Amino acid sequence: MSIHRLLVVARKEFYHITRDLRLLFLVTVAPAFLLLTLAYVFALDVERVDLAVRDLDQTPLSRDLISHVTADGDFTVVAGLQERPAVERLFTTGVADMVLVIPRGFSRTALSGESAQVHCIVDGVDALAASQSLGLLESRVQAFVAKTARSRAGLGAESMTAAAVLKIEERAWYNQALKSLVSMVPGLMAIILCMPALALALALAREKELGSFESLIVTPVRGIEYLLGKLVAYEIGGVASAVLALLVATLWFQVPYRGTLSDFLLLTADYVLASMGISLVVASVVRNQQTAMFLILMIFFVPSFFIAGLIRPVAEEPIPRAVAYALPSTHFITISRGLFLKGLDLAALEAPALALLGTGVTCQTISLLLFDKKLR
Amino acid sequence: MLRRIRNLVRKELIQLGRDWVLTAFIITLPALQLLLLARSTTASITNLRVAVVDRDRSAASRSAVEALGNREQLEIHSLTATIDEAGRLLDRGEAILAVVIPEDFSETLTRPGGTPSVQVITDGSNDLMAGIALSAAREALTSLVRQEALNPAGGSPSLIDLRATVRFNPALDVKIFTVPAQVGFIVYQVTLAVASIGLARERELGTLEQLIVMPLTRWELVVGKAVPALIVGMINFLAMWAMAVWGFGVPMRGSPWLLLALTLLFVAAEIGYGIFISSIAHTQQQAILLVFVLAMVDMAFSGYLVPIKNLPAGLRMVARVVPLHHYLTVIRNVMLRGAGLDVLWPHALAVFVVGALVTAFAVRNLSGRLD
């Protein structure tokens, strides 16, 4: 293997990237741009429930209940219903997520000390959101009961509610205010940094498709030099785009970065290596760029959004779990959150870092063997 | 004219069929993805791991630990001796919640007027899971204290009895919500992957010139390129839809024909996007990277991972021009709520308008290149 020939290939690839301005943009700037867009969408701190209300009672107590439920903005009254509602239509048009019906005589029953009924109809299509908003409504209603009971009895708080008996000190480490943005931006880094790896897979598939691969066979460049040369060029592009994304995260979004810069560079290079390894294997299997794109899109890119621990934790079931841990993005989400928020060092991130290194080296070796065979 | 389009379509289909690697992937990967994502995302969130530092070691503290473990969201991962140890578990991500029970927990609990305090520390690096773990712990501990707090009344009946009815999904099954969206995503990916390459590849391989010298108008060229993508997209939809209904038991409450028609509209609009990308890219590499950029933005605004109505007004406007967002609304509404065109026409109209504009733009763009 000759370092000189390797660098020649790397330089050729650099020319290719920098001469093609759009490609240069897509490999280096696009990840930062995507972070900018995605972070805004994923950084949601408020979950609002749109409530349609039918108040048949129309008493001070029923109005109090409604204003208590909607007091802090979790529930918003979007419609006051005069007639019997076409609930289905409210849900299909997306006007409301929940309908609250306060029957006639509500106030009278409640004030007489009996249990007064309130009906609530919820759109169960989004099961998770539905059960959350039901739980929230239930706790609001019980808090309302406690409050009115207290004010009527004229008693101090401690004798009435059990909640006051226990003091729970809650603390969130790493992200004190539990802001979504702070937790999503480091996670999204893993998703956006797949762009350079994808570009590498395409660059290789392109040489095969256009036939310029064959002309390489007659040059003295050997398979390993060829592959490593390309790798060097795109690896540098990948780390450069990561630094740009880091700047966007810390300067624009003000997400704290608590690790060291050298750890960031090292571990990002590790991640880019692993994802490029997978790209290389894909590129050595396929015959053209379209197939390469399809494979990467379906197997790595889209699943990364859903199963790599970005939002939900990695699944418990064995098969999805194994697939998740085969994806480099799963490990990098752990690394990125560890560096940004937990301020971990290399020793604490050893396991995911080694997993990435293992993926990288294994995949590079496989693709090298496949390529070497073809080059001979 | 029809004959010319037919010939072009036949050429495209032969080309696709000859690329048997791609064809095999187009047939198998969508089903695999649906299976994988459905199995990974449809379970409710359970077994978030908790590390407990029990300094009291009394019957009361043990029942507190038990109450935490009984929550379906939580799982007691370990009992540690010190906060530092629990902190290390949080650092490594092995636990998402640490609960510290102080020495005087049972003593203050039984003393009249005493207020025991419990410290709950969560890993905020995933804010959503942190929130779920926190509220589960809060509920477990308060309801325990409510029982144990020597409440002589034994709990009086509540003054308000909330009766809840759940429409469309009484069992609150998460799968019913996520699987139709995954079907939409898959149709989206496949259509775009097939449609975005066509012209860029011809240009890169130098065969676009041959097409230009043929007696084809640019509309015929676009239609010829679109039809194979339409066929692939629709076959894919039918397969995924069948899998959702018969494989995953997602109900089909609305009209299948309406869903089919609106899917056709959506697939056509996405092909418009694909051809647009194909017309602005000089190489396939550029086209594909653009597809990924578009896919990320579309996924973000699709309303699946993040509900659109919670977004600020500016971003909600962006979501309105994303066909995928409208299509996911349509597929859920038709399958789960049995909605008809009377409700869905604004979405259909939006997809049509956006698709037509993008396609027209792509064709105009193309003419600049062809002449």
Side-chain angles (χ1 to χ4, degrees), chain B residues 117-135:
Chain B
S117 78
V118 172
Q119 200 181 34
V120 178
I121 307 164
T122 179
D123 172 0
S125 67
N126 185 335
D127 67 295
L128 204 74
M129 292 312 119
I132 291 175
L134 264 185
S135 66

Side-chain angles (χ1 to χ4, degrees), chain B residues 35-81:
Chain B
L35 213 59
L36 174 69
L37 296 192
R39 294 196 65 171
S40 316
T41 58
T42 55
S44 53
I45 289 161
T46 54
N47 301 334
L48 298 174
R49 282 184 290 240
V50 185
V52 179
V53 184
D54 182 359
R55 291 191 171 142
D56 191 29
R57 297 185 177 279
S58 64
S61 72
R62 271 191 296 275
S63 61
V65 174
E66 201 179 312
L68 289 167
N70 282 342
R71 288 271 143 185
E72 69 164 347
Q73 295 95 333
L74 303 178
E75 179 200 329
I76 303 297
H77 173 256
S78 53
L79 295 165
T80 59

Side-chain angles (χ1 to χ4, degrees), chain A residues 15-186:
Chain A
Y15 280 144
H16 177 70
I17 299 175
T18 48
R19 206 188 41 191
D20 186 342
L21 271 182
R22 291 173 203 214
L23 183 61
L24 184 66
F25 172 82
L26 288 168
V27 171
T28 56
V29 186
F33 163 76
L34 283 167
L35 184 62
L36 212 54
T37 327
L38 297 186
Y40 276 115
V41 179
F42 282 92
L44 279 175
D45 288 311
V46 279
E47 290 259 329
R48 225 182 58 212
V49 182
D50 289 337
L51 194 67
V53 177
R54 185 156 194 240
D55 183 0
L56 294 169
D57 196 39
Q58 297 284 358
T59 55
L61 190 69
S62 71
R63 278 190 287 270
D64 268 4
L65 173 65
I66 294 164
S67 68
H68 183 85
V69 164
T70 55
D72 62 0
D74 288 338
F75 290 94
T76 318
V77 176
V78 287
L81 306 168
Q82 302 303 322
E83 286 143 39
R84 200 178 173 73
V87 174
E88 239 111 276
R89 200 171 169 86
L90 285 173
F91 292 161
T92 49
T93 50
V95 168
D97 307 309
M98 196 186 251
V99 179
L100 188 68
V101 182
I102 302 178
R104 204 165 276 124
F106 162 77
S107 175
R108 192 160 23 84
T109 322
L111 293 176
S112 72
E114 279 168 57
S115 180
Q117 275 189 9
V118 171
H119 289 277
C120 138
I121 306 148
V122 64
D123 180 357
V125 163
D126 185 348
L128 229 54
S131 58
Q132 265 168 18
S133 32
L134 271 180
L136 196 61
L137 184 68
E138 175 76 42
S139 71
R140 283 294 146 80
V141 169
Q142 293 320 323
F144 175 74
V145 171
K147 196 188 82 176
T148 43
R150 211 157 45 227
S151 65
R152 281 199 299 144
L155 288 173
E158 68 271 28
S159 65
M160 288 309 296
T161 54
V165 174
L166 178 72
K167 196 166 123 231
I168 302 179
E169 272 176 61
E170 290 177 7
R171 217 172 289 167
W173 279 8
Y174 321 121
N175 178 9
Q176 278 89 352
L178 282 182
K179 279 175 74 177
S180 278
L181 190 78
V182 171
S183 122
M184 289 313 287
V185 165

Side-chain angles (χ1 to χ4, degrees), chain B residues 86 170 252:
Chain B
M252 179 68 204

Side-chain angles (χ1 to χ4, degrees), chain A residues 132-373:
Chain A
Q132 265 168 18
S133 32
L134 271 180
L136 196 61
L137 184 68
E138 175 76 42
S139 71
R140 283 294 146 80
V141 169
Q142 293 320 323
F144 175 74
V145 171
K147 196 188 82 176
T148 43
R150 211 157 45 227
S151 65
R152 281 199 299 144
L155 288 173
E158 68 271 28
S159 65
M160 288 309 296
T161 54
V165 174
L166 178 72
K167 196 166 123 231
I168 302 179
E169 272 176 61
E170 290 177 7
R171 217 172 289 167
W173 279 8
Y174 321 121
N175 178 9
Q176 278 89 352
L178 282 182
K179 279 175 74 177
S180 278
L181 190 78
V182 171
S183 122
M184 289 313 287
V185 165
L188 286 170
M189 295 283 279
I191 308 257
I192 56 165
L193 288 180
C194 75
M195 295 290 282
L198 173 68
L200 173 68
L202 298 175
L204 280 169
R206 174 195 168 96
E207 302 230 350
K208 273 194 195 172
E209 192 171 354
L210 296 185
S212 53
F213 193 63
E214 254 123 61
S215 60
L216 272 170
I217 299 175
V218 296
T219 65
V221 173
R222 289 182 47 210
I224 185 164
E225 295 155 6
Y226 168 77
L227 221 54
L228 288 181
K230 280 213 181 265
L231 198 68
V232 166
Y234 281 88
E235 177 90 31
I236 290 173
V239 174
S241 71
V243 171
L244 212 58
L246 176 67
L247 290 178
V248 169
T250 51
L251 298 181
W252 182 262
F253 290 117
Q254 307 274 323
V255 173
Y257 181 80
R258 303 196 174 107
T260 63
L261 187 63
S262 57
D263 283 352
F264 179 80
L265 292 176
L266 193 68
L267 291 171
T268 310
D270 193 17
Y271 173 56
V272 174
L273 192 77
S275 53
M276 285 193 177
I278 287 180
S279 292
L280 286 177
V281 173
V282 168
S284 51
V285 174
V286 303
R287 284 192 288 190
N288 55 40
Q289 297 172 69
Q290 189 173 21
T291 317
M293 154 169 85
F294 194 68
L295 262 176
I296 292 178
L297 187 70
M298 298 291 293
I299 297 183
F300 300 104
F301 178 67
V302 173
S304 289
F305 268 98
F306 297 100
I307 69 171
L310 180 67
I311 299 176
R312 302 169 55 96
V314 174
E316 299 282 335
E317 266 193 85
I319 294 172
R321 198 175 177 81
V323 176
Y325 280 110
L327 292 180
S329 39
T330 308
H331 299 289
F332 192 66
I333 288 173
T334 310
I335 289 177
S336 183
R337 284 189 173 143
L339 285 176
F340 268 90
L341 306 176
K342 301 184 178 178
L344 299 182
D345 56 7
L346 218 49
L349 291 169
E350 195 185 348
L354 285 180
L356 287 181
L357 194 66
T359 312
V361 171
T362 315
C363 290
Q364 314 274 356
T365 315
I366 292 173
S367 59
L368 194 67
L369 292 175
L370 290 169
F371 264 105
D372 234 20
K373 209 175 70 194

Side-chain angles (χ1 to χ4, degrees), chain B residues 135-209:
Chain B
S135 66
R138 199 186 298 137
E139 281 165 32
L141 292 172
T142 34
S143 68
L144 171 83
V145 170
R146 206 173 276 155
Q147 288 162 21
E148 295 230 344
L150 319 169
N151 235 354
S156 55
S158 172
L159 278 155
I160 300 179
D161 171 24
L162 187 71
R163 292 283 167 91
T165 315
V166 180
R167 280 288 163 95
F168 304 124
N169 184 6
L172 287 177
D173 183 356
V174 181
K175 170 180 83 192
I176 282 179
F177 180 62
T178 51
V179 169
Q182 306 285 13
V183 171
F185 273 139
I186 289 171
V187 173
Y188 166 84
Q189 294 163 51
V190 172
T191 309
L192 208 57
V194 175
S196 59
I197 296 301
L199 291 168
R201 179 197 282 178
E202 304 263 5
R203 187 175 295 126
E204 190 166 281
L205 297 181
T207 46
L208 189 61
E209 262 125 57

Side-chain angles (χ1 to χ4, degrees), chain B residues 187 191 229-230 233-234 237 262-272:
Chain B
V187 173
T191 309
L230 198 69
M234 290 312 287
F237 164 73
L262 293 179
T263 304
L264 198 68
L265 186 66
F266 168 69
V267 169
E270 285 307 329
I271 292 172

